[in-house]
């Protein structure tokens, strides 16, 4: 799954938390989502936190930043399928 945060992006190894408990996953890749106009991170989370729109938190530079799980692809594909 993927996620969108408020303004900062989570890079590989960034912890993912949900429900106020221990870590529920980790970011595997992060970058700027040009089509979505903001940061995008992809990662792995436990099944119970993988539903679309599930709120999660990323720990970025010592601060907890809210994010949510989104469906992939992040934007509709625009390539031609003849």
């Amino acid at each position: 799954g993927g996620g969108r945060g408020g303004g900062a992006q989570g890079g590989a190894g960034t912890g993912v938390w949900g429900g106020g408990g221990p870590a529920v996953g980790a970011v595997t890749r992060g970058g700027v989502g040009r089509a979505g106009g903001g940061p995008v991170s992809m990662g792995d989370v436990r099944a119970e936190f993988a539903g679309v729109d599930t709120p999660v938190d990323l720990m970025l530079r010592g601060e907890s930043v809210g994010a949510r799980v989104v469906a992939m692809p992040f934007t509709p594909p625009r390539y031609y399928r003849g």
Side-chain angles (χ1 to χ4, degrees):
R4 290 188 180 269
Q9 67 191 36
T14 299
V16 179
W17 277 262
V24 299
V27 172
T28 56
R29 176 166 249 139
V32 177
R34 291 182 192 90
V40 175
S41 299
M42 294 193 315
D44 296 312
V45 295
R46 292 194 329 235
E48 62 266 32
F49 292 92
V52 172
D53 286 329
T54 300
V56 293
D57 293 301
L58 307 179
M59 189 60 72
L60 302 174
R61 294 182 284 284
E63 276 188 49
S64 179
V65 176
R68 67 184 172 88
V69 175
V70 298
M72 292 184 63
F74 303 125
T75 59
R78 293 183 291 246
Y79 51 83
Y80 176 73
R81 286 187 188 236

